[in-house]
Amino acid sequence: MSGLALSGAAAASLPELTTGRLLSTWRPDVAALLLIAVLGGLYGWGVLRLRRRGERWPVPRTAAFALLGLGTLAVATMSALAVYDTELFWPAAVQNVALDLIAPLGLALGDPLRLAMSALPERGAGRLRGAMSGRLLRLLTFPLVSSALVLVSELCIYFTPYFETALRHGALHELMYLQLLLAGSLFVLPVLTREDALPAWCNHPVRAALVFLDGLIDALPGIVVMTHSTLIAGAWYLRHAPAWAPDVQHNQQVGGGAMVTIAELVSLPFLLAILVQWSRADRAQRVVLDRRLDEELAPAAPVAGRPEEEELVRPWWETDGGTVGQRMRQGRPQG
């Protein structure tokens, strides 16, 4: 596993991390492969089930789930980032922020909750909807709570013995991977899904503001790591750093800078996805309103016994008791 501690001789045997080795070095991780297979299998089952019913699932959503979501999960746990994370701090920092931010974004863009609701039988969909509306899940996915969980999770990893202990024990390292993925997903999945997973007041403008705020919060751990004078897991990295590696303090600064950069870069497509959803929802609402106006302004059908003169149906604003109707009546010219 990627978190297994290496002996000093094994660490020294690792070749220098060049750009070529960063792209070509891979090591399988059984736990990560199993998780990828389960998530990919369930998603593929949902897509096939819809296809058998004659329904189509958007290809871009499938691509986002498979490439950005599961692909990032594979890169973070099995690429050179995982091979070198016990010798250099910056690969571990990039690895963790990828699991915390990029992978959840890719999974959420695939809209797995919506897919599950559409593909599952009625009883299964009802159970899933009931679980989503449960008090515990509602609390954990409440926007400010989920953002705080991401922040606390990152700070606890780096500023408690948790991280150094995970470097020593492979099983705990795998658990840390899962913790980061779940913490990030608790915020991203409810915000991007079309299911009613958030309170009613979380409309698209509010979600856009929350994403902007979350981008600032996600940058805080990287800033703290980059400016922190004390080495994080310093005893471990001082003992296991290869001879070709840069100064450990400098390595930590590079890792913190990478965390800040990735956090800010991820917030841009996240915000863009919210704005696209907002535009589509607004366009769909306008289409419904236009259709309603067309129907209400259409000529009434002639009725036997009445004059054959064509009579228009009264416009909706003449009978509407809301604010919009009152304004329309007040602004209408008197004839």
Side-chain angles (χ1 to χ4, degrees):
M1 286 187 181
S2 59
L4 290 174
L6 299 178
S7 65
S13 66
L14 280 176
E16 183 176 358
L17 182 56
T18 62
T19 303
R21 292 192 179 100
L22 181 62
L23 299 176
S24 61
T25 304
W26 291 82
R27 181 173 62 196
D29 185 308
V30 176
L33 284 172
L34 181 61
L35 179 60
I36 291 171
V38 170
L39 293 177
L42 290 174
Y43 196 91
W45 172 84
V47 173
L48 289 176
R49 185 174 175 86
L50 290 183
R51 185 174 297 176
R52 289 170 182 169
R53 295 204 310 240
E55 302 176 28
R56 298 183 61 184
W57 185 253
V59 174
R61 292 197 177 278
T62 304
F65 187 90
L67 299 179
L68 187 58
L70 300 183
T72 300
L73 182 56
V75 169
T77 57
M78 290 180 282
S79 72
L81 297 176
V83 175
Y84 284 84
D85 66 347
T86 52
E87 284 70 53
L88 301 173
F89 177 81
W90 78 259
V94 173
Q95 179 188 49
N96 292 345
V97 78
L99 290 169
D100 187 76
L101 299 178
I102 303 177
L105 178 61
L107 297 177
L109 288 173
D111 205 356
L113 294 179
R114 183 72 172 181
L115 176 62
M117 290 294 186
S118 303
L120 285 171
E122 185 175 348
R123 176 179 293 183
R127 289 177 178 175
L128 179 58
R129 190 173 290 108
M132 290 171 55
S133 61
R135 290 184 179 180
L136 178 59
L137 198 56
R138 284 283 186 179
L139 174 63
L140 294 177
T141 56
F142 189 81
L144 297 180
V145 174
S146 56
S147 295
L149 285 175
V150 174
L151 178 61
V152 171
S153 178
E154 288 272 7
L155 294 178
C156 285
I157 285 175
Y158 293 117
F159 298 103
T160 69
Y162 184 5
F163 182 53
E164 186 166 350
T165 306
L167 292 172
R168 298 176 183 275
H169 304 285
L172 185 59
H173 208 165
E174 300 288 352
L175 184 62
M176 187 182 76
Y177 290 163
L178 185 61
Q179 173 192 332
L180 289 165
L181 183 65
L182 289 177
S185 298
L186 284 174
F187 177 80
V188 181
L189 276 173
V191 170
L192 286 182
T193 187
R194 289 182 290 170
E195 293 297 320
D196 296 328
L198 292 177
W201 53 266
C202 284
N203 53 25
H204 288 97
V206 173
R207 295 186 187 197
L210 290 172
V211 169
F212 178 78
L213 177 62
D214 185 70
L216 300 179
I217 294 175
D218 290 337
L220 286 179
I223 295 174
V224 176
V225 168
M226 184 170 53
T227 59
H228 198 53
S229 57
T230 304
L231 292 176
I232 298 173
W236 174 272
Y237 282 114
L238 286 172
R239 186 168 64 251
H240 291 81
W244 47 262
D247 176 72
V248 177
Q249 181 70 49
H250 175 70
N251 199 280
Q252 180 171 310
Q253 293 173 349
V254 172
M259 292 171 64
V260 174
T261 302
I262 293 174
E264 294 307 310
L265 289 177
V266 169
S267 66
L268 293 177
F270 195 179
L271 184 59
L272 180 61
I274 294 295
L275 295 178
V276 169
Q277 286 188 350
W278 186 0
S279 175
R280 289 177 177 174
D282 186 62
R283 185 163 57 249
Q285 187 176 12
R286 288 201 306 269
V287 169
V288 172
L289 180 59
D290 290 343
R291 186 180 298 116
R292 179 182 173 186
L293 288 173
D294 291 340
E295 292 175 354
E296 294 186 353
L297 292 175
V303 180
R306 290 187 180 180
E308 296 183 358
E309 297 180 359
E310 194 176 69
E311 182 180 356
L312 293 177
V313 177
R314 297 180 65 189
W316 64 269
W317 58 78
E318 292 188 1
T319 58
D320 183 77
T323 304
V324 176
Q326 294 176 3
R327 291 181 179 178
M328 292 288 290
R329 290 193 295 273
Q330 292 172 1
R332 185 180 178 187
Q334 302 295 325

